[in-house]
Amino acid sequence: MQALEAADPSLRTPDSPTARIGAEPGAQFAKHEHLVPMLSLANATSDAELAEWEQYEVRGHIGDAVDADGYSTELKIDGAAIALTYRDRRLVLAATRGNGFIGEDVTANVRTIRDVPAELVGDDVPPLCEIRGEVYMEYAGFEAMNAERVRAGEPVFANPRNSAAGSLRQIDPAATAARPLRFFGYAITIPAGASALPVATQTALLDALARWGVPVAPERQHCRTLAEVHAWAATVEHEVRARIPFAIDGLVVKVNALRLQEELGTQGASRKPRWAVARKFAPDIGETRLRDIRVNVGRTGALNPFAVLEPVELGGATVKLATLHNAAYIRDRDLRVGDVVQVVRAGDVIPKVLGPVATKRDGTERVWEMPSHCPACGTAAVQDEDDALSYCLNARCPGRRLEAMVHFASRDAMDIRGLSYARIAQLVEAALIEDVADLYRLQAADLEPLERMGAKSAANLEAALLASKGQPLSRLLFGLNIRHVGAGVAELLARRFGTLEALLAASEADIAAVRGIGDVIARAVRQWADDPGAQTVVEKLRAAGVRMDEPARAQADGPLSGKTVVLTGTLPTLTRGEATERLESAGATVTSSVSKKTSFVVAGEDAGSKLEKARTLGVEVIDEAELLRRLGDAP
């Protein structure tokens, strides 16, 4: 087929089998506006909250009309939402959820997923429709993929959900094709004014999707009453969840009649549908033995205790390690080595030790103490007066060196493409680098002899290192692993002082006077600047030609000139750094705290206390779609 299409390109059609593996890599993802917004759901974490949803959101608006057709219940697949546009039954576009209104066009990547039909079958398929669904990974495929990455010396993925989402945004569709992605459909939308759907209920809609060739998740149930929903939810949580080969985190409960869904609409400003709710399940809690407590040295020198556990299965994953945060966390919970402990995957992702099962102690357990010296280099640990952590202040500590270099090369810091965790570990092991400044001494000839490198990869990495020298001072400061200096603080410092030389010459009081900084950060920055090891690294970076100033970015006449903006939560398509850069380029000032002087707050998913404070103060809150509109680049 590839040979035929190469000989005569007119033979190539959008649904050709070669499109599943042969699309050219794209430079970026175009934006796509959904036919109908992809709304997020409200959550109910108990039967009582589900009953409250029915009472206020359903019966409070349509009364007993819901009794005629009841509810459709479907597995809440733990994956990445996707919207598939079909025109005349053929797949013409696939887009991520994005901010619910505008997503990213990932058509070439989605064509590589074999579950996604290139063409629908059936005479009753609407001429133009958008089928919504979830891209996911089965446990077996996820574990096999991670095993292959281990063999290749690459870092493993944390969980199937994040892996699925990341796979959809690969620049090269061949990379997506190599991932074990699956798909389930669960909804269909049609443009306003189009002829009605050929079904009247959600349960019939799911049957229609299956008839048209769209995979639909198993274990769906039509419940006539809320009592039946409660019973089915308990069955799924305690029985079905354990036997299905993929991750779920609850049920989606929907008013079954489509006409009632339309009548119920959305919940005011939240834009969440009244007619559907996510009945979330409690995270899996397991019991296992705490074999040991060990300490990891982080990139800033923080000594982070973690639990070594007897392996335990939680939510389809084998948990062997879990975070313990700091010594106070261990002390407050009276955790002892040898305890039987309760472990949960917080958010179904991060393993966390809840506490000991004290009734199962037999006297052999022992109290753990934070080491007085760094376990990696032997330097005396220092208890920080501003937080509950102990620190190794040795800038050349081998324990923090690798993590520091990985952070330095990361996308939000110096953005050195091709310099992965495994590659940096390889460079350290080969004694080619000892600190971040040594990266800039590397040449292609040094890199080619390394395993899995080759001439082309070596040349690409050398080019990426050269390109990273031009990153602004804010990126450099963030990458240098200064305690308490995140991306936002780094930008505040870079804008205020302009050059690294000026920052190094500033007193603690000068630094603390910068709006949004304060005494704790100023003290940490000054301690870093006075450290001889840090000074050596800075001089090596200067000698290597790394940029050490911040360009002026604000526009006095920009569309947001004079506005003070706060970002909170995770935005659908923009990273925090990208959003900040866009705002500042438009003339706005981005700050880290909300006050009466804040012009507006841009809120994304999982927005926290800043969102609540904005509402309390009456500060305007907008989403990413509105931000893009104000910046002048959204429909």
Side-chain angles (χ1 to χ4, degrees), residues 181 216 259 350 364 366 503 529:
L181 297 176
V216 178
R259 64 175 182 83
I350 303 170
T364 62
R366 59 181 177 83
L503 175 60

Side-chain angles (χ1 to χ4, degrees), residues 137 141-143 145-147 149-150 154-164 166-167 170 175 178-180 345 349:
M137 288 187 186
F142 174 73
E143 291 171 0
M145 177 183 66
N146 266 349
R149 292 181 70 85
V150 169
E154 298 174 334
V156 298
F157 294 112
N159 56 75
R161 177 180 55 194
N162 291 356
S163 302
S167 297
Q170 294 294 306
R179 308 279 174 86
R345 291 179 68 203
V349 178

Side-chain angles (χ1 to χ4, degrees), residues 32 143 236 283 403 492 519:
H32 167 71
E143 291 171 0
V236 172
E403 300 293 337
L492 292 176
D519 295 337

